[in-house]
Amino acid sequence: MKTRMPLIAGLSLLVGAVAACSNPTETSETDSAEAAPSVLTIYSSRHYDSDKALYAQFEEATGAKVDVREAGASQLLETMKAESDQSPADIIIAADAGSLWRFKDAGLTQALDSDTLRNKVPANYRAADGHWYGFARRMRGIAFDPSRWSAEDLQTWDTLAAEDKAGEICVRSSSNIYNLSLMGELIHRLGTEGAQTWATAIVGNMARNPQGGDTDQIRAIAAGECSIAIVNHYYWIRLGASEKEADQEVAAQTSFVFPEFSEGSGSHVNITGAAISATADDLELAESFLNFLLTENGQTYLTTETKELPLLPDGPLPEGVDRLPVFVASDTPMDVYGENQAEAQRLFDLAGWN
């Protein structure tokens, strides 16, 4: 991997060398001045206080300064496109492999060939070409009304397409990246025709038009609007861990299951991940930050507040996730979530899933 010297450091060394040659008995201002700290600029679609603590720890450990810009992934993507090769971004952090694929597809990331990351991050949790790596896991599953269904009734995704689920399903818009990535894996496993048949059946079984976020779908179950919701696991865990009694009651009235695509296939899993931007200069500093995310502290800060699952098998588990059922994660390479993204949206549109 080619590592470029930070511009400030390079200039300092050059000026110092010239001063030493011209007048070795005098100390130049450049020599005596304290070197400016390196700056790592992070564009992040996350917005948690625990991330701020993570950045502070990295600053303390490295002496670098972390400058963070937080916004939605789509907004950050458009910002970087507009900034072009003048973007100050060094690191991009985004939730969902499908989002990271969009940055890569737009030419905004660069490959990182790292033995450390390859050894720690399983192959299906990173881009095959090294353009992004996963650092925390997020599972898309089913919240349900246990007075209507059992976990055994919802063991595979195709059970949602059955006639007995008519009028029972709540889910958010098809354009949401979580649904697009789920559909991307369904295409990978079922083929285009099978995936479209599934999506069409889900539309026929919806209790209402897609609306709101994942938490809204879980609340709709408690309100009796539906009995099944397609949601990410951490929204359900957060309701149960909330200080609000109303949220706790919603969680208590619902259960959760991780369906497989077929028996023994494993359950759909996604990631929060990061990439090095195409404009990053100090690649050594950027790589050290990604390595920090895989330390015990890094894994803790990434997951404690979000209720995601650590990527490392021995990583510390956030409080409350012990309520989740046991699951086996799918080994589908997450590159396919992005590669199938356009087709996923096309099939959703054909199915009438708005």
Side-chain angles (χ1 to χ4, degrees), residues 24-318:
T25 63
E26 295 182 7
T27 301
S28 71
E29 291 183 8
T30 303
D31 290 332
S32 60
E34 183 178 350
S38 300
V39 177
L40 183 73
T41 301
I42 298 176
Y43 280 22
S44 176
S45 65
R46 289 165 56 99
H47 46 83
Y48 301 100
D49 290 340
S50 55
D51 285 8
K52 295 178 176 61
L54 182 150
Y55 304 143
Q57 276 227 347
F58 182 74
E59 287 180 329
E60 183 178 353
T62 63
K65 180 182 183 301
V66 176
D67 184 21
V68 183
R69 175 167 185 168
E70 294 180 352
S74 296
Q75 182 179 344
L76 292 174
L77 177 66
E78 294 307 314
T79 296
M80 291 186 68
K81 286 180 180 179
E83 292 170 340
S84 188
D85 59 0
Q86 299 302 307
S87 177
D90 297 305
I91 296 287
I92 303 161
I93 300 177
D96 200 288
S99 289
L100 289 163
W101 179 87
R102 290 175 176 176
F103 285 93
K104 172 192 166 184
D105 188 55
L108 300 173
T109 63
Q110 60 179 295
L112 172 62
D113 185 14
S114 165
D115 289 339
T116 299
L117 292 177
R118 277 199 308 272
N119 289 336
K120 290 187 175 182
V121 180
N124 59 311
Y125 293 160
R126 51 184 162 86
D129 57 9
H131 271 253
W132 52 261
Y133 291 83
F135 296 98
R137 294 180 297 162
R138 43 182 48 220
M139 308 290 294
R140 195 146 186 79
I142 298 172
F144 63 95
D145 180 350
S147 72
R148 297 287 308 279
W149 313 101
S150 69
E152 288 69 28
D153 295 324
L154 304 166
Q155 285 298 301
T156 56
W157 285 104
D158 63 355
T159 61
L160 299 189
E163 292 182 359
D164 65 345
K165 308 304 187 305
E168 300 293 340
I169 298 175
C170 285
V171 65
R172 68 199 296 173
S173 168
S174 67
S175 62
N176 177 261
I177 193 65
Y178 308 154
N179 286 335
L180 287 170
S181 290
L182 173 61
M183 190 62 162
E185 182 163 11
L186 283 161
I187 293 170
H188 173 74
R189 289 182 174 275
L190 306 179
T192 297
E193 184 176 347
Q196 185 178 357
T197 297
W198 181 84
T200 300
I202 298 304
V203 172
N205 286 345
M206 287 181 183
R208 62 182 188 181
N209 290 331
Q211 57 190 269
D214 279 10
T215 302
D216 297 311
Q217 315 311 317
I218 304 171
R219 289 183 173 136
I221 296 176
E225 296 180 44
C226 53
S227 62
I228 294 169
I230 301 174
V231 297
N232 283 0
H233 81 271
Y234 48 86
Y235 292 103
W236 184 69
I237 294 297
R238 288 180 199 167
L239 284 170
S242 172
E243 295 180 354
K244 298 179 180 179
E245 186 176 345
D247 288 343
Q248 296 174 22
E249 290 177 358
V250 168
Q253 293 177 59
T254 56
S255 295
F256 201 90
V257 64
F258 294 114
E260 297 189 323
F261 296 91
S262 59
E263 187 175 353
S265 68
S267 300
H268 179 71
V269 61
N270 212 310
I271 48 99
T272 284
I276 296 180
S277 80
T279 56
D281 284 322
D282 194 340
L283 300 186
E284 183 176 357
L285 181 62
E287 183 177 353
S288 69
F289 178 77
L290 298 189
N291 287 333
F292 178 71
L293 296 181
L294 289 173
T295 63
E296 183 175 348
N297 278 345
Q299 292 283 282
T300 298
Y301 285 120
L302 278 175
T303 62
T304 297
E305 190 174 350
T306 67
K307 305 302 182 184
E308 294 174 292
L309 302 174
L311 184 86
L312 299 180
D314 56 349
L317 291 175

